[in-house]
Amino acid sequence: MSDAVVIIPTYNEIENIANIIDAVMALPEGFDILVIDDDSPDGTQDAVRKKIEEYHGRVHLECRSGKLGLGTAYIHGFRWALEHGYDYMIEMDADFSHNPNDLPKLYGECKSQRADMAIGSRYISGVNVVNWPMGRVLMSYFASVYVRLITGMKLRDATAGFVCYHRRVLEAIDLDKIKFKGYAFQIEMKFKTHCKKFKIVEVPIVFVNRQLGTSKMNSSIFGEAVFGVIDLKLGSIFNPKNYR
C-alpha cells in the first residue's frame, strides 16, 4: 500500500475518469486513488470498477446516495484515508484541470516535512490559468485577494482545490465542525489549518479548464464562498476554540 492517496470526487465524469486514473497510476510514486462518486447516472462508477480490477489494490471507490456536495465528499474521503492508514491525502479534480504530473511536487513538499499542507497554486507566480473566460479568471483571482484581506492569510490561491495534506492536519481539525459544502470548503480547510499554525506552502501549477464534461460551478457555490469567509473570520474571533 502507498503512503499517499489521491481523492477524486466525481459526478458525471464518464468522459474523464478512466483517463485520469490511468494518468495517476502511471506516475512512479505509486499513489493510490480513492474515487468518491455521488451516484452518477452516466456510468462513472462502472468505469471506476473496471479500473479497480485493472489496478488491483490501488484504486478504490466509495459510492454515495446522491449529489451531496464537494466538501462532504472530501470529508468522506479524509475519514476513509485516515482509517486506512494513509499519511498523505491529496485533493484533485477528475477533469484534468489539475495536471497529474504535478502530484509529485505537492506530495514532495509534505513528504520532505517542508509543509503540512501543500497547495497547487494558480496565482503564486502570476496568473497561470488556461482556457478560462476572462470574467471567471478575474472572479477567481480577486476572490483570493478578498480572502487574504478578510482572513489575514497570506495565501495567493485560497480557493485552490489541488491540495496535499499530511495526516496530522486532518487529525487536528474537527471534521465534524466543517460547515461548508461548496468551494467555501476549500477556504475553510485552509483557514483552520492556518489557525492551528501548520506550515502551508504554495507550489506553482498551471490550471487548465476542463475539455470534457460539465463544470459544477454555479452562483450559489460562489455566494457561499463570499459570505462564508466573513463567517469564518467572525467565528475565529468570537469562538476561537473551534479554530485552534
Side-chain angles (χ1 to χ4, degrees):
M1 186 183 89
S2 174
D3 64 352
V5 60
V6 180
I7 302 172
I8 305 176
T10 55
Y11 182 76
N12 287 351
E13 290 291 354
I14 190 63
E15 298 96 340
N16 296 301
I17 191 61
N19 290 334
I20 199 77
I21 290 173
D22 288 340
V24 175
M25 290 292 103
L27 295 171
E29 285 74 13
F31 298 113
D32 289 350
I33 291 176
L34 171 64
V35 176
I36 309 289
D37 187 73
D38 276 4
D39 200 23
S40 298
D42 69 344
T44 296
Q45 291 181 16
D46 291 335
V48 175
R49 290 186 181 100
K50 289 179 181 178
K51 293 302 175 182
I52 290 173
E53 294 178 4
E54 183 176 348
Y55 301 108
H56 183 69
R58 295 185 59 197
V59 178
H60 308 275
L61 173 65
E62 289 283 291
C63 302
R64 305 199 302 169
S65 60
K67 197 173 180 183
L68 303 175
L70 180 74
T72 63
Y74 276 127
I75 295 296
H76 186 114
F78 295 156
R79 293 189 191 283
W80 184 96
L82 290 170
E83 289 170 3
H84 286 79
Y86 291 95
D87 291 324
Y88 307 95
M89 299 78 166
I90 308 173
E91 300 177 354
M92 190 175 76
D93 290 348
D95 60 9
F96 284 94
S97 55
H98 302 142
N99 188 338
N101 292 327
D102 288 327
L103 284 167
K105 293 192 294 186
L106 300 184
Y107 171 68
E109 289 296 317
C110 291
K111 181 78 170 178
S112 67
Q113 305 296 315
R114 289 189 293 268
D116 301 302
M117 170 190 276
I119 300 169
S121 177
R122 298 162 290 186
Y123 307 125
I124 193 66
S125 59
V127 179
N128 294 312
V129 178
V130 177
N131 292 335
W132 256 9
M134 183 54 67
R136 188 165 178 188
V137 173
L138 292 172
M139 182 177 71
S140 174
Y141 179 81
F142 284 107
S144 284
V145 173
Y146 168 74
V147 171
R148 288 202 305 276
L149 289 173
I150 299 296
T151 66
M153 292 191 293
K154 296 181 179 180
L155 300 178
R156 308 298 290 186
D157 195 357
T159 62
F162 196 18
V163 183
C164 181
Y165 296 83
H166 192 284
R167 70 177 293 124
R168 59 177 160 260
V169 175
L170 299 177
E171 288 173 335
I173 292 173
D174 187 345
L175 298 176
D176 289 332
K177 293 183 178 177
I178 297 299
K179 295 181 179 180
F180 298 112
K181 295 182 179 181
Y183 283 82
F185 164 82
Q186 300 292 1
I187 303 167
E188 183 175 8
M189 290 297 295
K190 294 176 184 67
F191 185 58
K192 290 196 170 181
T193 301
H194 165 78
C195 289
K196 289 181 178 294
K197 310 297 185 185
F198 286 110
K199 186 174 181 182
I200 305 173
V201 170
E202 290 186 89
V203 177
I205 64 160
V206 176
F207 180 95
V208 180
N209 194 29
R210 67 161 65 233
Q211 299 297 310
L212 299 172
T214 304
S215 172
K216 312 306 185 293
M217 173 64 82
N218 59 50
S219 59
S220 65
I221 289 173
F222 181 71
E224 179 193 67
V226 170
F227 295 106
V229 172
I230 297 172
D231 183 69
L232 289 172
K233 183 61 176 178
L234 291 175
S236 71
I237 295 170
F238 294 108
N239 197 10
K241 68 179 183 297
N242 287 338
Y243 293 80
R244 295 174 186 161

